[in-house]
Amino acid sequence: MRIENLFTYLKKELKARQDVIKDAIYGGVKDWDEYRYLTGKLRGLEEAEQELTDLLRKTELDDD
């Protein structure tokens, strides 16, 4: 498997998980603690996605 395919797959999965969490937040949470937990989890997934994007960009630049 090419590394680009792995990055693409992981980014797709991270986006899907982000969408599930956003739907849960938009659908209503039972209390403030759950809201904070979900927004923290969402932020972590967004950071992981950004790290993958940056790493892929760096990998592409190193190939040049």
Side-chain angles (χ1 to χ4, degrees):
M1 175 184 277
R2 296 191 58 194
I3 194 139
E4 293 85 4
N5 294 342
L6 176 63
F7 285 150
T8 302
Y9 171 78
L10 289 174
K11 280 186 66 168
K12 180 180 168 188
E13 289 298 312
L14 288 169
K15 275 287 193 197
R17 290 183 186 192
Q18 289 174 35
D19 291 341
V20 168
I21 292 173
K22 287 177 186 177
D23 289 344
I25 292 170
Y26 298 150
V29 293
K30 61 183 175 189
D31 57 24
W32 180 247
D33 288 334
E34 183 179 14
Y35 174 79
R36 287 178 48 210
Y37 171 75
L38 290 174
T39 55
K41 195 170 181 179
L42 180 61
R43 181 69 182 136
L45 290 169
E46 290 169 344
E47 287 179 7
E49 180 187 6
Q50 186 60 51
E51 287 295 323
L52 278 174
T53 301
D54 294 345
L55 186 58
L56 180 58
R57 194 169 292 128
K58 182 182 180 307
T59 303
E60 289 172 350
L61 291 175
D62 287 346
D63 288 344
D64 292 342

